[in-house]
Amino acid sequence: IVESITFSRQGANHIVDLHVTLRADQGVPLKMGDTEECCLGLRFADEFRQDRGATLLNSDGLATTEKIWGKSAKWVDYSTTLKGHKAGVAILDHAKNPKHPTYWHARGYAFCAANPFGEHDFFNDKSRDGSMTIPKDGKLEFRYRVVIHPGDAKDAKVEELSAAFK
C-alpha cells in the first residue's frame, strides 16, 4: 500500500486529498472482496446525525440515508449546525477511481464510506459480486477528497468542487 494524504485550504474550505495505491507485488493476484464495510470511511460528530437534524445529500440530489445508502454518486455531503454555525463535510469520488461513481455506505448515525465493492449488500442480491482482483504485479488506485466547509452543500458549491477535482 502506498498512501499520500495532503492537507490544504481553498478559501473557507479545508481540504484533505487521499491517494491510495494497492499493489499485488507478492507474486500473486490480490482480490478485494465484496463487503459493505470498505474503503474510505469517516465517522462524524453526533451533530451530523440525521436524527439530530443533519442533512445527508448526494450528487444526484437525493437526501436522507434511506435514499442514498447503497446508491452510486459522485459525492455525498453531511451538513448540520455546529455551535450556531452551518457547516458540512463532503466526500468526493475521483472520476478515475474504479467503478466511478462509487457506492456509498451513508448512514444516518453520522458515518459515511465511499465503497466501490459492496454490491451484493447494496443491491440486496447475494448472487452479485462487487469484488475486484488486482492482477499479479498490477495496481489499483483510489483518490478521494474530503471538503470541510461552511454552510450546506449548496452554499459550499460541492457540485462545482467535485467537477474541479481532477
Side-chain angles (χ1 to χ4, degrees):
I1 296 178
V2 178
E3 301 176 65
S4 74
I5 302 173
T6 305
F7 298 88
S8 63
R9 183 111 187 222
Q10 293 178 4
N13 299 327
H14 296 273
I15 308 293
V16 182
D17 284 327
L18 299 105
H19 184 177
V20 176
T21 303
L22 303 172
R23 297 184 187 279
D25 59 1
Q26 300 297 307
V28 295
L30 177 63
K31 182 176 181 179
M32 306 299 295
D34 185 329
T35 176
E36 75 176 90
E37 310 292 344
C38 182
C39 295
L40 175 64
L42 299 174
R43 179 65 188 244
F44 306 119
D46 281 345
E47 289 87 352
F48 287 89
R49 292 175 57 102
Q50 183 173 289
D51 63 0
R52 295 196 181 173
T55 300
L56 285 61
L57 181 70
N58 75 10
S59 60
D60 294 327
L62 299 176
T64 75
T65 188
E66 294 80 11
K67 292 182 181 170
I68 65 177
W69 182 88
K71 302 293 187 285
S72 63
K74 295 181 290 183
W75 54 264
V76 167
D77 183 85
Y78 281 58
S79 296
T80 194
T81 301
L82 292 169
K83 298 181 181 178
H85 300 281
K86 286 192 146 208
V89 179
I91 305 172
L92 315 179
D93 183 43
H94 194 278
K96 291 184 180 177
N97 281 348
K99 300 186 187 179
H100 175 79
T102 196
Y103 300 102
W104 295 91
H105 185 74
R107 294 296 199 181
Y109 51 79
F111 176 79
C112 187
N115 180 355
F117 304 116
E119 293 181 38
H120 73 260
D121 286 315
F122 296 146
F123 286 90
N124 195 24
D125 180 352
K126 300 303 177 197
S127 69
R128 192 168 178 134
D129 183 7
S131 65
M132 293 180 72
T133 299
I134 305 169
K136 180 182 115 176
D137 299 322
K139 68 180 180 177
L140 191 59
E141 292 186 73
F142 294 95
R143 293 173 188 87
Y144 298 102
R145 176 168 282 172
V146 178
V147 180
I148 303 162
H149 60 79
D152 61 18
K154 184 179 178 183
D155 296 334
K157 299 180 180 175
V158 173
E159 183 62 34
E160 291 175 27
L161 294 171
S162 176
F165 181 37
K166 305 280 183 197

